[in-house]
Amino acid sequence: MGLTGFRGRIVSLAVLTATLVVAVLVVLSHVLLTRATEADTRTLARTRAEAVAATVEVVGGKLRLLEGTGDAFDTVAWVYADGRLVDGVLHEPIAELVENLGRANGAAFVTTPRYLLYGAPLPVQGRHVVVVVMVDLAPYESSEQRSLVMSLILGALAIALAGVVAYVGVSRALRVVRRMSALAGEWGSHDPGRRFRMGPPRDEFGELAQTFDRLLDRVSDTIADERRLTDEIAHELRTPLSVLHAEAQLAELTGTQVEPQLVRTETDRLSTAVTTLLDAARTRLPEEATCHLATPLQNLAHTYSTTGGLAGGLAGGVEVAVPSAVVLAVLTPLLDNAVRHASADVFLAAEVQAEHVLVHVFDDGPGFREDEVDQVFTAGHSRTDGHGLGLAVVRRIATAAGVGVRAIADGRGHVEVRFPRR
Protein backbone atom coordinates (compact mmCIF):
# COMPACT_ATOMS: atom_id res chain seq x y z
CA MET A 1 0.00 0.00 0.00
CA GLY A 2 3.06 2.23 0.25
CA LEU A 3 3.72 5.12 2.56
CA THR A 4 0.16 6.39 2.56
CA GLY A 5 -2.42 7.03 5.20
CA PHE A 6 -1.74 6.85 8.90
CA ARG A 7 1.47 4.82 8.57
CA GLY A 8 2.92 7.28 6.04
CA ARG A 9 2.17 10.23 8.31
CA ILE A 10 3.83 8.55 11.29
CA VAL A 11 6.94 7.59 9.29
CA SER A 12 7.17 11.09 7.79
CA LEU A 13 6.89 12.62 11.24
CA ALA A 14 9.62 10.29 12.56
CA VAL A 15 11.94 11.16 9.65
CA LEU A 16 11.29 14.88 10.07
CA THR A 17 11.97 14.68 13.80
CA ALA A 18 15.17 12.69 13.23
CA THR A 19 16.30 15.21 10.59
CA LEU A 20 15.80 18.13 12.96
CA VAL A 21 17.63 16.34 15.79
CA VAL A 22 20.53 15.36 13.51
CA ALA A 23 20.77 18.89 12.11
CA VAL A 24 20.95 20.38 15.59
CA LEU A 25 23.57 17.82 16.68
CA VAL A 26 25.72 18.36 13.56
CA VAL A 27 25.67 22.14 13.95
CA LEU A 28 26.36 21.92 17.67
CA SER A 29 29.23 19.44 17.21
CA HIS A 30 30.76 21.57 14.44
CA VAL A 31 30.64 24.70 16.60
CA LEU A 32 32.21 22.85 19.53
CA LEU A 33 34.91 21.34 17.30
CA THR A 34 35.72 24.79 15.82
CA ARG A 35 36.10 26.28 19.27
CA ALA A 36 38.27 23.37 20.43
CA THR A 37 40.47 23.73 17.32
CA GLU A 38 40.86 27.44 17.94
CA ALA A 39 41.88 26.79 21.54
CA ASP A 40 44.40 24.14 20.43
CA THR A 41 46.01 26.42 17.82
CA ARG A 42 46.36 29.26 20.30
CA THR A 43 47.90 26.90 22.84
CA LEU A 44 50.36 25.70 20.17
CA ALA A 45 51.24 29.33 19.28
CA ARG A 46 51.97 30.19 22.92
CA THR A 47 54.09 27.05 23.30
CA ARG A 48 56.16 27.97 20.21
CA ALA A 49 56.57 31.53 21.46
CA GLU A 50 57.85 30.25 24.79
CA ALA A 51 60.28 27.89 23.04
CA VAL A 52 61.68 30.75 20.92
CA ALA A 53 61.83 33.11 23.92
CA ALA A 54 64.00 30.55 25.74
CA THR A 55 66.70 31.03 23.06
CA VAL A 56 66.91 34.79 23.53
CA GLU A 57 69.28 36.35 26.06
CA VAL A 58 70.98 39.72 26.65
CA VAL A 59 74.70 39.75 27.42
CA GLY A 60 76.45 43.08 28.08
CA GLY A 61 73.48 44.98 26.78
CA LYS A 62 73.55 43.06 23.51
CA LEU A 63 70.86 40.66 22.28
CA ARG A 64 72.09 37.14 21.52
CA LEU A 65 70.25 34.05 20.23
CA LEU A 66 71.32 30.65 21.45
CA GLU A 67 72.07 28.01 18.86
CA GLY A 68 70.36 24.68 18.63
CA THR A 69 66.88 25.67 17.50
CA GLY A 70 67.65 24.72 13.90
CA ASP A 71 66.43 26.27 10.67
CA ALA A 72 62.88 25.01 11.08
CA PHE A 73 61.95 27.95 13.29
CA ASP A 74 63.24 30.51 10.76
CA THR A 75 60.03 30.23 8.67
CA VAL A 76 57.52 30.04 11.53
CA ALA A 77 59.14 32.24 14.22
CA TRP A 78 60.66 35.73 14.20
CA VAL A 79 62.41 37.85 16.79
CA TYR A 80 62.20 41.64 16.75
CA ALA A 81 64.38 43.97 18.85
CA ASP A 82 63.36 47.62 19.06
CA GLY A 83 61.17 47.19 15.99
CA ARG A 84 63.89 45.57 13.87
CA LEU A 85 63.97 41.95 12.70
CA VAL A 86 66.95 40.15 14.21
CA ASP A 87 66.08 36.52 13.46
CA GLY A 88 63.84 34.65 11.03
CA VAL A 89 62.94 34.81 7.35
CA LEU A 90 59.88 36.78 6.26
CA HIS A 91 57.71 35.64 3.34
CA GLU A 92 54.65 36.91 1.62
CA PRO A 93 51.74 37.32 2.16
CA ILE A 94 52.19 37.59 5.95
CA ALA A 95 55.29 39.81 6.07
CA GLU A 96 53.36 42.98 6.85
CA LEU A 97 51.31 41.32 9.57
CA VAL A 98 54.44 39.89 11.19
CA GLU A 99 56.14 43.29 11.20
CA ASN A 100 53.10 44.92 12.80
CA LEU A 101 53.10 42.34 15.57
CA GLY A 102 56.89 42.79 16.01
CA ARG A 103 56.41 46.48 16.73
CA ALA A 104 53.36 46.00 19.03
CA ASN A 105 53.64 46.69 22.74
CA GLY A 106 51.46 43.81 23.98
CA ALA A 107 50.60 40.21 23.19
CA ALA A 108 48.16 39.80 20.30
CA PHE A 109 46.70 37.19 17.93
CA VAL A 110 46.05 37.75 14.22
CA THR A 111 44.12 35.17 12.15
CA THR A 112 44.25 34.88 8.36
CA PRO A 113 42.39 32.36 6.19
CA ARG A 114 45.46 30.11 6.30
CA TYR A 115 47.57 31.09 9.35
CA LEU A 116 47.38 32.09 13.00
CA LEU A 117 50.01 34.71 14.07
CA TYR A 118 50.93 35.43 17.67
CA GLY A 119 53.19 38.18 19.01
CA ALA A 120 54.48 38.05 22.61
CA PRO A 121 56.80 40.72 24.14
CA LEU A 122 59.79 39.47 26.22
CA PRO A 123 60.72 40.92 29.61
CA VAL A 124 64.18 42.19 28.59
CA GLN A 125 65.42 45.20 30.55
CA GLY A 126 66.19 48.23 28.42
CA ARG A 127 65.18 46.59 25.13
CA HIS A 128 61.82 46.13 23.29
CA VAL A 129 61.96 42.47 22.25
CA VAL A 130 58.98 40.70 20.64
CA VAL A 131 58.73 37.09 19.53
CA VAL A 132 56.27 36.40 16.66
CA VAL A 133 55.25 32.83 15.77
CA MET A 134 52.98 31.31 13.10
CA VAL A 135 50.70 28.22 13.17
CA ASP A 136 49.51 26.71 9.88
CA LEU A 137 45.68 26.21 10.10
CA ALA A 138 45.36 23.96 7.01
CA PRO A 139 45.61 20.61 8.90
CA TYR A 140 43.04 21.76 11.45
CA GLU A 141 40.63 22.99 8.78
CA SER A 142 41.03 19.73 6.90
CA SER A 143 40.25 17.82 10.11
CA GLU A 144 37.15 19.97 10.69
CA GLN A 145 35.92 19.32 7.16
CA ARG A 146 36.43 15.58 7.51
CA SER A 147 34.57 15.64 10.83
CA LEU A 148 31.72 17.62 9.25
CA VAL A 149 31.47 15.18 6.34
CA MET A 150 31.49 12.21 8.69
CA SER A 151 28.83 13.86 10.85
CA LEU A 152 26.63 14.44 7.80
CA ILE A 153 27.07 10.85 6.63
CA LEU A 154 26.30 9.45 10.09
CA GLY A 155 23.36 11.84 10.37
CA ALA A 156 21.95 10.66 7.05
CA LEU A 157 22.34 7.03 8.17
CA ALA A 158 20.62 7.87 11.47
CA ILE A 159 17.71 9.50 9.59
CA ALA A 160 17.38 6.50 7.30
CA LEU A 161 17.54 4.14 10.27
CA ALA A 162 14.87 6.18 12.10
CA GLY A 163 12.63 5.93 9.03
CA VAL A 164 13.11 2.17 8.77
CA VAL A 165 12.53 1.63 12.50
CA ALA A 166 9.42 3.84 12.41
CA TYR A 167 8.09 2.00 9.36
CA VAL A 168 8.65 -1.44 10.90
CA GLY A 169 7.31 -0.36 14.30
CA VAL A 170 4.18 1.27 12.90
CA SER A 171 3.59 -1.67 10.55
CA ARG A 172 3.76 -4.09 13.48
CA ALA A 173 1.45 -1.90 15.54
CA LEU A 174 -1.04 -1.63 12.67
CA ARG A 175 -1.21 -5.40 12.18
CA VAL A 176 -4.11 -5.44 14.64
CA VAL A 177 -5.97 -2.82 12.62
CA ARG A 178 -5.31 -4.62 9.33
CA ARG A 179 -6.49 -7.89 10.85
CA MET A 180 -9.62 -6.21 12.19
CA SER A 181 -10.31 -4.71 8.76
CA ALA A 182 -9.81 -8.06 7.05
CA LEU A 183 -12.08 -9.85 9.52
CA ALA A 184 -14.78 -7.20 9.20
CA GLY A 185 -14.59 -7.51 5.41
CA GLU A 186 -14.96 -11.30 5.63
CA TRP A 187 -17.94 -11.16 7.98
CA GLY A 188 -20.07 -8.78 5.96
CA SER A 189 -23.67 -8.70 7.07
CA HIS A 190 -24.22 -12.47 7.20
CA ASP A 191 -22.25 -13.19 10.38
CA PRO A 192 -23.17 -10.55 13.03
CA GLY A 193 -22.17 -12.85 15.89
CA ARG A 194 -18.45 -12.81 15.04
CA ARG A 195 -16.04 -10.78 17.17
CA PHE A 196 -12.41 -9.70 16.77
CA ARG A 197 -11.23 -11.54 19.93
CA MET A 198 -7.69 -10.12 19.86
CA GLY A 199 -6.94 -11.26 23.38
CA PRO A 200 -5.71 -9.10 26.25
CA PRO A 201 -4.82 -5.62 24.93
CA ARG A 202 -1.08 -4.93 24.74
CA ASP A 203 -1.43 -1.40 23.34
CA GLU A 204 -4.00 1.21 22.31
CA PHE A 205 -4.95 -0.78 19.20
CA GLY A 206 -5.71 -3.82 21.32
CA GLU A 207 -7.91 -1.64 23.51
CA LEU A 208 -9.62 -0.39 20.32
CA ALA A 209 -10.37 -3.98 19.32
CA GLN A 210 -11.85 -4.65 22.77
CA THR A 211 -13.96 -1.50 22.51
CA PHE A 212 -15.26 -2.60 19.10
CA ASP A 213 -16.11 -6.03 20.52
CA ARG A 214 -18.14 -4.42 23.31
CA LEU A 215 -19.82 -2.12 20.77
CA LEU A 216 -20.72 -5.08 18.56
CA ASP A 217 -22.12 -6.87 21.61
CA ARG A 218 -24.37 -3.90 22.33
CA VAL A 219 -25.45 -3.71 18.69
CA SER A 220 -26.19 -7.44 18.69
CA ASP A 221 -28.18 -7.09 21.92
CA THR A 222 -30.15 -4.22 20.40
CA ILE A 223 -30.99 -6.29 17.32
CA ALA A 224 -32.03 -9.19 19.55
CA ASP A 225 -34.21 -6.84 21.62
CA GLU A 226 -35.89 -5.59 18.47
CA ARG A 227 -36.59 -9.14 17.37
CA ARG A 228 -37.96 -10.05 20.79
CA LEU A 229 -40.13 -6.93 20.76
CA THR A 230 -41.55 -7.93 17.38
CA ASP A 231 -42.31 -11.44 18.66
CA GLU A 232 -43.90 -10.08 21.83
CA ILE A 233 -46.11 -7.61 19.97
CA ALA A 234 -47.21 -10.39 17.61
CA HIS A 235 -47.93 -12.59 20.63
CA GLU A 236 -50.03 -9.90 22.31
CA LEU A 237 -51.96 -9.21 19.12
CA ARG A 238 -52.77 -12.87 18.51
CA THR A 239 -55.39 -13.31 21.27
CA PRO A 240 -57.63 -10.29 20.55
CA LEU A 241 -57.32 -10.84 16.82
CA SER A 242 -58.27 -14.49 17.27
CA VAL A 243 -61.33 -13.46 19.29
CA LEU A 244 -62.39 -10.93 16.65
CA HIS A 245 -61.82 -13.44 13.87
CA ALA A 246 -63.86 -16.09 15.68
CA GLU A 247 -66.72 -13.64 16.30
CA ALA A 248 -66.68 -12.61 12.64
CA GLN A 249 -66.83 -16.26 11.53
CA LEU A 250 -69.68 -16.97 13.99
CA ALA A 251 -71.63 -13.98 12.73
CA GLU A 252 -71.07 -15.09 9.14
CA LEU A 253 -72.25 -18.62 9.85
CA THR A 254 -75.27 -17.73 11.96
CA GLY A 255 -76.25 -14.54 10.20
CA THR A 256 -76.13 -12.56 13.44
CA GLN A 257 -74.36 -9.30 14.14
CA VAL A 258 -71.02 -9.07 15.90
CA GLU A 259 -71.36 -7.93 19.51
CA PRO A 260 -70.24 -4.24 19.51
CA GLN A 261 -69.16 -4.38 23.16
CA LEU A 262 -66.93 -7.38 22.44
CA VAL A 263 -65.34 -5.61 19.49
CA ARG A 264 -64.62 -2.50 21.59
CA THR A 265 -63.25 -4.60 24.45
CA GLU A 266 -60.88 -6.58 22.25
CA THR A 267 -59.71 -3.57 20.24
CA ASP A 268 -59.08 -1.65 23.47
CA ARG A 269 -57.14 -4.59 24.79
CA LEU A 270 -55.17 -4.76 21.55
CA SER A 271 -54.40 -1.02 21.61
CA THR A 272 -53.40 -1.12 25.28
CA ALA A 273 -51.09 -4.09 24.75
CA VAL A 274 -49.30 -2.51 21.79
CA THR A 275 -48.94 0.88 23.46
CA THR A 276 -47.64 -0.60 26.70
CA LEU A 277 -45.13 -2.83 24.92
CA LEU A 278 -43.79 0.04 22.82
CA ASP A 279 -43.52 2.30 25.85
CA ALA A 280 -41.73 -0.43 27.77
CA ALA A 281 -39.32 -0.99 24.87
CA ARG A 282 -38.55 2.74 24.76
CA THR A 283 -38.42 2.97 28.59
CA ARG A 284 -41.10 5.67 28.52
CA LEU A 285 -43.57 4.28 31.01
CA PRO A 286 -44.98 7.25 32.99
CA GLU A 287 -43.39 6.98 36.42
CA GLU A 288 -45.63 9.66 37.90
CA ALA A 289 -48.87 7.84 36.96
CA THR A 290 -50.79 6.07 39.74
CA CYS A 291 -54.04 4.18 40.08
CA HIS A 292 -56.34 2.59 42.66
CA LEU A 293 -55.36 -1.04 42.31
CA ALA A 294 -58.81 -2.34 43.22
CA THR A 295 -60.36 -1.03 39.98
CA PRO A 296 -58.22 -2.93 37.41
CA LEU A 297 -58.17 -6.02 39.64
CA GLN A 298 -61.96 -6.13 39.92
CA ASN A 299 -62.27 -5.70 36.15
CA LEU A 300 -59.87 -8.58 35.60
CA ALA A 301 -61.64 -10.73 38.19
CA HIS A 302 -64.93 -10.11 36.42
CA THR A 303 -63.47 -10.76 32.95
CA TYR A 304 -61.80 -14.02 33.91
CA SER A 305 -64.44 -15.09 36.49
CA THR A 306 -61.79 -15.51 39.18
CA THR A 307 -62.28 -15.88 42.90
CA GLY A 308 -60.14 -14.85 45.85
CA GLY A 309 -59.43 -12.22 48.48
CA LEU A 310 -59.60 -8.98 46.51
CA ALA A 311 -62.07 -6.84 48.37
CA GLY A 312 -60.67 -7.45 51.83
CA GLY A 313 -57.06 -7.17 50.72
CA LEU A 314 -57.60 -3.80 49.00
CA ALA A 315 -59.91 -2.14 51.48
CA GLY A 316 -59.29 1.58 51.83
CA GLY A 317 -58.53 2.31 48.18
CA VAL A 318 -54.81 1.39 48.06
CA GLU A 319 -52.90 3.30 45.35
CA VAL A 320 -49.91 1.92 43.46
CA ALA A 321 -47.23 3.91 41.66
CA VAL A 322 -47.99 2.53 38.19
CA PRO A 323 -50.78 3.37 35.74
CA SER A 324 -53.81 1.13 35.32
CA ALA A 325 -52.66 0.16 31.81
CA VAL A 326 -49.47 -1.33 33.22
CA VAL A 327 -51.43 -3.31 35.83
CA LEU A 328 -53.60 -4.75 33.07
CA ALA A 329 -50.64 -5.38 30.75
CA VAL A 330 -48.79 -7.31 33.48
CA LEU A 331 -51.69 -9.32 34.91
CA THR A 332 -53.58 -10.14 31.70
CA PRO A 333 -50.91 -12.49 30.26
CA LEU A 334 -50.56 -14.09 33.70
CA LEU A 335 -54.31 -14.76 33.86
CA ASP A 336 -54.29 -16.07 30.27
CA ASN A 337 -51.51 -18.44 31.26
CA ALA A 338 -53.37 -19.47 34.44
CA VAL A 339 -56.60 -20.15 32.53
CA ARG A 340 -54.68 -22.21 29.96
CA HIS A 341 -53.09 -24.45 32.62
CA ALA A 342 -55.85 -24.55 35.26
CA SER A 343 -57.92 -27.67 35.84
CA ALA A 344 -60.99 -25.74 36.95
CA ASP A 345 -60.37 -22.58 38.96
CA VAL A 346 -58.26 -19.40 38.76
CA PHE A 347 -57.73 -17.30 41.89
CA LEU A 348 -56.61 -13.73 42.57
CA ALA A 349 -55.45 -12.53 45.97
CA ALA A 350 -54.05 -9.18 47.14
CA GLU A 351 -51.77 -8.53 50.10
CA VAL A 352 -51.02 -4.98 51.25
CA GLN A 353 -47.60 -4.32 52.78
CA ALA A 354 -45.86 -1.17 53.98
CA GLU A 355 -44.22 -0.26 50.68
CA HIS A 356 -45.70 -2.77 48.24
CA VAL A 357 -48.89 -4.49 47.25
CA LEU A 358 -48.53 -8.16 46.41
CA VAL A 359 -50.97 -9.61 43.89
CA HIS A 360 -51.01 -13.41 43.65
CA VAL A 361 -52.31 -15.22 40.57
CA PHE A 362 -53.23 -18.82 41.43
CA ASP A 363 -54.57 -21.70 39.42
CA ASP A 364 -55.22 -25.33 40.33
CA GLY A 365 -52.99 -26.62 37.56
CA PRO A 366 -49.68 -28.49 37.89
CA GLY A 367 -47.75 -25.31 38.74
CA PHE A 368 -44.02 -24.71 38.39
CA ARG A 369 -41.12 -26.97 39.20
CA GLU A 370 -38.28 -25.81 41.45
CA ASP A 371 -35.78 -26.03 38.61
CA GLU A 372 -37.77 -23.80 36.25
CA VAL A 373 -38.94 -20.88 38.40
CA ASP A 374 -35.99 -18.79 37.15
CA GLN A 375 -36.60 -19.70 33.50
CA VAL A 376 -40.34 -19.27 33.03
CA PHE A 377 -39.95 -15.59 32.17
CA THR A 378 -37.30 -16.30 29.51
CA ALA A 379 -38.37 -15.90 25.90
CA GLY A 380 -38.88 -19.30 24.25
CA HIS A 381 -39.52 -21.25 27.45
CA SER A 382 -42.80 -23.16 27.20
CA ARG A 383 -44.13 -26.46 28.53
CA THR A 384 -46.83 -26.61 25.85
CA ASP A 385 -46.85 -26.04 22.10
CA GLY A 386 -46.82 -22.24 22.59
CA HIS A 387 -44.10 -19.79 21.64
CA GLY A 388 -42.99 -19.08 25.22
CA LEU A 389 -43.47 -15.32 24.88
CA GLY A 390 -46.37 -14.54 27.22
CA LEU A 391 -44.37 -14.46 30.46
CA ALA A 392 -41.40 -12.86 28.67
CA VAL A 393 -43.72 -9.95 27.77
CA VAL A 394 -44.71 -9.70 31.43
CA ARG A 395 -41.08 -9.54 32.52
CA ARG A 396 -40.27 -6.80 29.96
CA ILE A 397 -43.20 -4.57 30.99
CA ALA A 398 -42.69 -5.21 34.71
CA THR A 399 -38.98 -4.37 34.56
CA ALA A 400 -39.64 -1.13 32.68
CA ALA A 401 -42.30 -0.09 35.23
CA GLY A 402 -40.36 -1.05 38.37
CA VAL A 403 -42.71 -3.94 39.16
CA GLY A 404 -41.40 -7.21 40.55
CA VAL A 405 -42.66 -10.54 39.27
CA ARG A 406 -41.65 -14.10 40.18
CA ALA A 407 -42.93 -17.63 39.90
CA ILE A 408 -43.36 -19.71 43.05
CA ALA A 409 -43.16 -23.51 43.17
CA ASP A 410 -45.72 -24.54 45.80
CA GLY A 411 -47.57 -27.39 44.11
CA ARG A 412 -49.96 -25.21 42.10
CA GLY A 413 -49.81 -22.42 39.57
CA HIS A 414 -48.61 -19.39 41.52
CA VAL A 415 -47.13 -16.09 40.26
CA GLU A 416 -46.47 -13.17 42.60
CA VAL A 417 -46.52 -9.59 41.32
CA ARG A 418 -45.06 -6.85 43.54
CA PHE A 419 -46.48 -3.37 42.80
CA PRO A 420 -44.84 -0.37 44.51
CA ARG A 421 -47.24 1.66 46.66
CA ARG A 422 -47.59 5.34 46.04
Side-chain angles (χ1 to χ4, degrees):
M1 193 170 66
L3 288 176
T4 59
F6 177 76
R7 178 172 54 185
R9 290 194 294 271
I10 294 298
V11 173
S12 300
L13 179 61
V15 171
L16 177 60
T17 303
T19 302
L20 293 176
V21 171
V22 168
V24 170
L25 291 177
V26 168
V27 171
L28 183 60
S29 63
H30 185 67
V31 170
L32 293 176
L33 180 60
T34 301
R35 292 186 177 181
T37 301
E38 182 181 357
D40 289 343
T41 55
R42 292 198 174 201
T43 300
L44 178 60
R46 291 190 185 97
T47 302
R48 284 184 178 180
E50 292 173 357
V52 174
T55 66
V56 178
E57 64 178 358
V58 178
V59 178
K62 294 183 179 180
L63 186 68
R64 187 176 68 176
L65 299 177
L66 300 178
E67 297 296 331
T69 57
D71 296 333
F73 274 109
D74 290 342
T75 58
V76 297
W78 302 269
V79 179
Y80 281 83
D82 299 324
R84 185 168 51 86
L85 179 64
V86 296
D87 188 55
V89 179
L90 290 175
H91 54 85
E92 296 294 339
I94 61 172
E96 183 178 355
L97 296 175
V98 172
E99 290 180 354
N100 292 334
L101 288 174
R103 299 187 183 98
N105 293 323
F109 286 96
V110 175
T111 304
T112 69
R114 175 71 186 273
Y115 304 106
L116 172 67
L117 301 175
Y118 173 61
L122 298 181
V124 177
Q125 188 174 7
R127 303 295 294 272
H128 181 230
V129 181
V130 178
V131 174
V132 180
V133 296
M134 179 189 71
V135 176
D136 190 357
L137 299 179
Y140 296 95
E141 291 178 352
S142 177
S143 177
E144 288 181 7
Q145 291 177 356
R146 286 196 299 270
S147 298
L148 179 60
V149 171
M150 290 300 298
S151 297
L152 292 175
I153 293 175
L154 292 176
L157 292 177
I159 293 172
L161 180 61
V164 172
V165 171
Y167 182 84
V168 173
V170 174
S171 298
R172 289 175 61 87
L174 290 178
R175 283 188 304 182
V176 176
V177 177
R178 290 198 299 271
R179 184 180 173 191
M180 290 168 58
S181 178
L183 289 175
E186 292 175 2
W187 300 344
S189 58
H190 61 279
D191 198 1
R194 291 283 296 276
R195 297 293 180 270
F196 296 113
R197 308 299 184 201
M198 297 298 178
R202 294 191 295 257
D203 51 24
E204 289 79 359
F205 293 111
E207 294 177 357
L208 178 64
Q210 255 193 0
T211 301
F212 277 141
D213 280 344
R214 290 194 294 266
L215 177 62
L216 290 174
D217 287 337
R218 290 196 293 271
V219 172
S220 179
D221 291 342
T222 301
I223 294 174
D225 286 341
E226 293 297 329
R227 290 174 178 172
R228 283 196 297 270
L229 177 63
T230 302
D231 293 339
E232 291 165 0
I233 291 178
H235 178 271
E236 287 299 294
L237 296 182
R238 184 177 293 109
T239 300
L241 288 178
S242 298
V243 172
L244 292 175
H245 183 70
E247 288 296 322
Q249 284 184 325
L250 179 62
E252 184 179 7
L253 292 174
T254 61
T256 60
Q257 292 184 346
V258 177
E259 183 68 32
Q261 180 62 36
L262 176 64
V263 173
R264 284 196 299 271
T265 300
E266 294 302 323
T267 54
D268 287 345
R269 176 180 175 183
L270 187 151
S271 176
T272 300
V274 172
T275 301
T276 305
L277 274 173
L278 290 177
D279 286 343
R282 299 166 183 164
T283 319
R284 292 197 299 107
L285 290 175
E287 297 179 358
E288 70 280 0
T290 62
C291 72
H292 291 281
L293 187 57
T295 302
L297 287 186
Q298 289 171 355
N299 292 335
L300 289 171
H302 176 73
T303 301
Y304 287 91
S305 300
T306 63
T307 61
L310 292 180
L314 298 177
V318 175
E319 286 188 79
V320 291
V322 293
S324 178
V326 172
V327 176
L328 294 174
V330 171
L331 292 180
T332 297
L334 296 179
L335 287 169
D336 287 338
N337 190 70
V339 170
R340 187 162 52 250
H341 294 89
S343 299
D345 295 324
V346 175
F347 309 88
L348 275 179
E351 178 184 349
V352 180
Q353 297 181 343
E355 297 181 357
H356 301 88
V357 178
L358 302 182
V359 175
H360 303 273
V361 180
F362 299 104
D363 66 77
D364 57 356
F368 304 103
R369 301 190 305 270
E370 287 284 353
D371 58 349
E372 68 173 350
V373 291
D374 295 329
Q375 303 174 3
V376 294
F377 294 100
T378 304
H381 179 81
S382 177
R383 289 186 297 173
T384 63
D385 58 354
H387 295 81
L389 291 173
L391 297 185
V393 174
V394 173
R395 171 62 62 84
R396 175 189 285 271
I397 298 174
T399 301
V403 175
V405 59
R406 67 188 183 105
I408 299 176
D410 57 0
R412 55 180 174 174
H414 183 186
V415 178
E416 176 191 278
V417 183
R418 181 185 298 266
F419 292 101
R421 292 189 63 178
R422 180 179 178 183

